Amino acid sequence: MFQSEPDSGGPLAMGESLSPWIPSCNGSIRVELDGQRTTGDSGALLLREALDNSGVIEALEDNLVDPRHPLRIRHSLAGQLRTLVLQRAMGWIDLGDTDTLRRDPLWQLACSDARGTTPLAQDRPSRATLSRLLTCPGRDDNIDVLHEGLLRLVVWRLTSLNHGERPEQLTLDIDGLPIEVHGHQGGSAFHGLYGARIYSPLVASLAETGDMVGGLLREGNAGPAEHADTWIPPLARRLNESTGASVRVRIDAGFTDNDTLEALEDRDIEYLGRLRSHTGLQKLAAPCLKRPRGRPPEQPREWYHDLAYQARSWPAPRRVVLVVQEHPDDLLLHAFFLVTNLGRFEWPPERVLALYRKRGSAEAHMGEVKSALNVHLSSTDRGASIVQDVMARNEVSLLLSLYAYQVLHGLRSLMERQTGRGWSLRRVREQVLKVAATLSLHARRITVHLGDAADRWWPTLLKGLPKLMALP
C-alpha cells in the first residue's frame, strides 16, 4: 500500500505529472516517475548482437521489394523488422507494446540503424507503422524471401557454436500448431476439437537441435495433411542444400496420407510416420497379436513385426512396422503401426521405433513456441482487403515470431554450452535478459549501468558471446 506526498513529480511521457509515492512500510522510500533514462530490457542488446551476427536483417533488406516511395521513407525496412523480432523475443508480443516502449532509451539503441548517440534523438516506429509493415513482406514477391530468412537463422545457429561445422544428418519434424484468434480474421474458422476459432498452421522443427525451420499458415478448417505434400519436400530440399546434411522427415498419423508419402518418395526423402489403425491394418496384424508362451512378466514388454501393406489408395505396398505392447494389468494387447521407407537392413524395427519415440522432443519445442512467445495472429480485414491479404499478413506475423524464437534459441544454446545445464526460453528471458539498467550520456559515449541481477549470468554469457560467430 502506498501513500502520496504533496510534492509534484516529474513530467511523464504524456505531459502529465504524478506526485512521488511513499510506501507505508518505510517512509524513507520515495517512488517517482521522473522520466530517467532507465530500462528493464537491457538484454535486448544481447539479442541485437546475435541478430546482427546472423546477418538475416541485412539479407532481408537487400532482397525484399519495398513498395514505398524512397522520398517518403522515415523508418527503414531493416529497423522495423528488427524492432518486431526483438520485441517479440523479449516478450513484448503485441504491436500496442511499441507505444509503451517508444521512449525507452535502450530500445531506441537496440533497434536503430544509426550509430553513436543519434538513436536517442530518433522517434521509434509507431504501432500503425509496424502494422503497415506486415503487408510488405506478405506480397507474392517477398514471402519466399521471408521463408529463406528463417532458414538462414537456422543455418547460423547450427554452425555458429560448432566452429563452422555442419551436421551430417537432420530429422525434420512436421506438426500442426493451432493458434486461437479473437475475432473473425479472414481464413480463420471454428474448430470443434479446440472449441475456439483458430488458424491451423504447419510448423517444421529440427529434432536434434530444436530449431524452427519453417512455418506455413493455413485456414482454420484445413485438414491435417492439407498442403503438406507441396510444402514439406521443397523445405527438406532447401534444408539439405543449405546445410549439406541428409534430411529425413518424421510425421504423425495426420500426415501419412498417400499424397504426402508419394511426394516424399518421388524426391527420395526418407520418412517415418504413424498410421491410423483401421480394419485393414487390424486384419493384417491379427496373426501377430499373440502372447509369447509362459507366464506373463510383472513388467511391461513389447515386440515388433516387419510387414508389407498396401492400402486401397496406395499404388504399391509400403513397409509397415507393427509394435505390440503387453501390460500386466490389461487383458488385451496394445498395437500401433509405423510406415517408413527406411531400409530394413540399416533400420530394424526396434531402431525405427526408437527414432519415432524421439518425436516427443519436437512436441516440447512446439509447446515452447506457444508458451514463451505466445504466438497470436490478429491482422483483420481492412478496407478492401481480401482473405488472401489478411492471411498473408498473418503468415508474416507467424514467421517473425519464429525469427524471435530462433534468436532466443541461439542465446539459450550458448548459455547451455557455457553452464553445462538445460535452459528454457522463458528462463533465459527472465533471468538473463530482463535486467534493469540505467543509461548515462557523456559527450559521444553512452554507458549502460547494469543492475545487480546481471552479476549472476552476464559474465558467463559475455565470455561465450564471441562463439556466436557471424554467418558469412
Side-chain angles (χ1 to χ4, degrees):
M1 183 175 182
F2 293 91
Q3 63 184 26
S4 61
E5 196 179 61
D7 299 1
S8 62
L12 299 181
M14 301 301 294
E16 57 184 327
S17 61
L18 185 69
S19 299
W21 293 81
I22 300 176
S24 57
C25 65
N26 190 335
S28 298
I29 300 175
R30 294 166 58 92
V31 180
E32 298 184 358
L33 281 74
D34 56 3
Q36 293 293 323
R37 292 184 177 273
T38 59
T39 182
D41 290 334
S42 53
L45 291 176
L46 295 173
L47 291 173
R48 168 69 187 268
E49 185 76 8
L51 196 60
D52 285 352
N53 282 345
S54 73
V56 66
I57 297 298
E58 290 73 15
L60 291 177
E61 188 176 40
D62 290 343
N63 293 283
L64 288 174
V65 178
D66 190 348
R68 297 177 297 173
H69 193 287
L71 298 180
R72 297 180 179 178
I73 294 177
R74 184 175 180 184
H75 301 287
S76 70
L77 201 59
Q80 294 182 68
L81 289 169
R82 188 183 296 116
T83 297
L84 284 175
V85 172
L86 293 183
Q87 285 187 184
R88 294 184 185 201
M90 289 295 294
W92 300 94
I93 59 171
D94 195 278
L95 285 179
D97 295 331
T98 305
D99 294 334
T100 304
L101 303 174
R102 202 165 185 181
R103 295 180 181 273
D104 189 309
L106 191 132
W107 280 105
Q108 291 174 300
L109 297 171
C111 298
S112 176
D113 299 324
R115 303 278 181 170
T117 60
T118 303
L120 296 177
Q122 293 177 330
D123 286 334
R124 298 190 65 221
S126 67
R127 173 182 184 175
T129 300
L130 294 179
S131 180
R132 289 191 296 269
L133 167 70
L134 298 179
T135 302
C136 171
R139 293 161 42 116
D140 290 340
D141 51 357
N142 280 338
I143 192 66
D144 287 341
V145 175
L146 207 61
H147 283 280
E148 289 298 326
L150 181 58
L151 192 58
R152 180 185 179 92
L153 275 172
V154 172
V155 175
W156 161 74
R157 210 223 47 89
L158 286 175
T159 57
S160 61
L161 294 178
N162 294 305
H163 307 290
E165 296 182 5
R166 302 192 177 191
E168 297 181 358
Q169 178 70 59
L170 292 172
T171 303
L172 191 63
D173 278 305
I174 309 296
D175 211 342
L177 188 72
I179 298 176
E180 183 178 357
V181 300
H182 303 280
H184 289 76
Q185 286 86 333
S188 64
F190 181 83
H191 199 292
L193 179 62
Y194 303 103
R197 194 174 186 89
I198 67 166
Y199 281 117
S200 184
L202 292 179
V203 176
S205 64
L206 293 183
E208 294 85 357
T209 62
D211 293 276
M212 293 294 151
V213 180
L216 176 70
L217 188 66
R218 303 182 304 171
E219 296 182 346
N221 57 3
E226 192 168 331
H227 304 310
D229 59 328
T230 57
W231 183 66
I232 299 175
L235 181 61
R237 175 183 54 80
R238 294 204 309 272
L239 184 60
N240 168 260
E241 293 173 349
S242 300
T243 64
S246 175
V247 179
R248 71 170 67 96
V249 174
R250 188 166 52 192
I251 48 183
D252 68 9
F255 300 97
T256 50
D257 64 314
N258 183 65
D259 290 342
T260 304
L261 299 184
E262 265 195 343
L264 295 171
E265 291 166 348
D266 290 344
R267 293 162 179 81
D268 295 322
I269 299 173
E270 294 181 336
Y271 64 81
L272 167 64
R274 185 162 178 167
L275 286 175
R276 288 195 177 101
S277 180
H278 53 76
T279 304
L281 284 173
Q282 291 170 0
K283 289 182 178 179
L284 180 68
C288 305
L289 299 180
K290 297 179 180 179
R291 299 179 188 273
R293 292 182 180 180
R295 179 173 297 180
E298 296 181 358
Q299 299 297 324
R301 59 180 175 178
E302 63 184 12
W303 53 94
Y304 329 95
H305 296 276
D306 223 331
L307 308 171
Y309 174 72
Q310 182 176 0
R312 291 181 181 178
S313 61
W314 294 0
R318 290 188 170 104
R319 182 188 179 190
V320 172
V321 174
L322 167 64
V323 181
V324 184
Q325 297 175 325
E326 178 188 37
H327 300 282
D329 297 332
D330 292 344
L331 293 176
L332 301 178
L333 297 174
H334 300 266
F336 62 91
F337 307 87
L338 302 174
V339 61
T340 183
N341 62 351
L342 295 170
R344 294 175 184 267
F345 180 75
E346 301 89 352
W347 290 91
E350 58 271 18
R351 193 178 175 201
V352 170
L353 176 61
L355 177 61
Y356 183 77
R357 281 181 168 157
K358 292 180 181 179
R359 182 175 162 76
S361 60
E363 296 174 353
H365 300 320
M366 298 290 183
E368 201 169 30
V369 170
K370 295 192 73 172
S371 64
L373 295 172
N374 192 20
V375 180
H376 69 286
L377 306 174
S378 58
S379 182
T380 57
D381 300 6
R382 296 187 180 93
S385 295
I386 59 177
V387 171
Q388 289 78 5
D389 294 335
V390 176
M391 291 196 65
R393 288 196 293 267
N394 277 324
E395 182 164 6
V396 171
S397 183
L398 171 66
L399 289 172
L400 290 178
S401 292
L402 297 181
Y403 276 48
Y405 172 94
Q406 277 301 118
V407 178
L408 266 176
H409 185 48
L411 285 184
R412 184 250 299 274
S413 301
L414 179 58
M415 285 299 296
E416 291 179 340
R417 177 72 61 89
Q418 292 295 106
T419 63
R421 64 176 71 175
W423 284 75
S424 67
L425 293 186
R426 189 180 295 275
R427 186 184 176 207
V428 169
R429 180 192 292 156
E430 293 177 353
Q431 295 192 15
V432 181
L433 302 181
K434 289 287 187 179
V435 172
T438 302
L439 279 69
S440 60
L441 179 63
H442 302 283
R444 299 289 296 173
R445 183 180 297 278
I446 304 169
T447 304
V448 180
H449 305 274
L450 297 177
D452 289 343
D455 293 346
R456 183 176 183 187
W457 297 120
W458 274 63
T460 300
L461 185 59
L462 292 176
K463 286 179 183 178
L465 199 58
K467 295 180 182 178
L468 286 176
M469 300 181 299
L471 188 65

